[in-house]
Amino acid sequence: DTGVRWNHEDLRAVMWRNEKEVNGQPGVDDDGNGLVDDVYGGDFIDGRDLGINDDSTLDPRGHGTHCAGIIGATRKNGKGVAGVANPRIVRIVDLRFINEYDRGYSSDAARATEYGLKMGV
């Protein structure tokens, strides 16, 4: 999708984190999957295959964040919406393959899917 604002107050608790990268060295592909510092997922737009670990890859259009919120937004916090999935088992992974102009390639979506499968999510 267009990405996920992983630091959103309703999503922080359900965001998947790549612990090998969290506990690794900055600028190094600590888990050997081909993406450097892919803490929250990957940015696969136009074949760039970048790790997501900072604000530079946040969802520019909001669509991916909206969809993630429907699935996993924190419940009963008096803010926003409540996600439909059980927060004890759901994890949201940021797999971005649609650009800020709502364009994406099926090849980028396929690579994002392959990444998710490789990471076991």
Side-chain angles (χ1 to χ4, degrees):
D1 208 313
T2 59
V4 176
R5 275 191 280 149
W6 52 263
N7 58 2
H8 190 286
E9 64 185 342
D10 267 350
L11 296 174
R12 276 191 296 252
V14 295
M15 288 302 297
W16 171 81
R17 290 172 23 119
N18 182 346
E19 294 303 323
K20 288 182 180 176
E21 296 290 352
V22 169
N23 298 313
Q25 299 176 27
V28 175
D29 180 12
D30 297 292
D31 57 6
N33 67 3
L35 274 70
V36 174
D37 297 336
D38 52 316
V39 173
Y40 298 101
D43 181 342
F44 300 92
I45 294 173
D46 297 329
R48 57 183 172 215
D49 295 7
L50 301 172
I52 294 178
N53 62 7
D54 62 24
D55 292 348
S56 68
T57 55
L58 292 177
D59 183 8
R61 304 282 284 171
H63 182 264
T65 301
H66 173 81
C67 293
I70 291 170
I71 296 166
T74 302
R75 300 175 181 177
K76 300 180 182 178
N77 66 351
K79 300 177 182 179
V81 299
V84 297
N86 182 336
R88 285 179 258 161
I89 59 173
V90 71
R91 289 295 168 260
I92 304 293
V93 182
D94 191 350
L95 301 175
R96 186 172 178 213
F97 63 92
I98 298 174
N99 67 22
E100 62 271 19
Y101 306 108
D102 296 327
R103 304 260 191 265
Y105 295 99
S106 56
S107 57
D108 294 340
R111 280 195 337 285
T113 302
E114 288 170 0
Y115 170 88
L117 291 170
K118 184 188 300 185
M119 300 307 292
V121 295

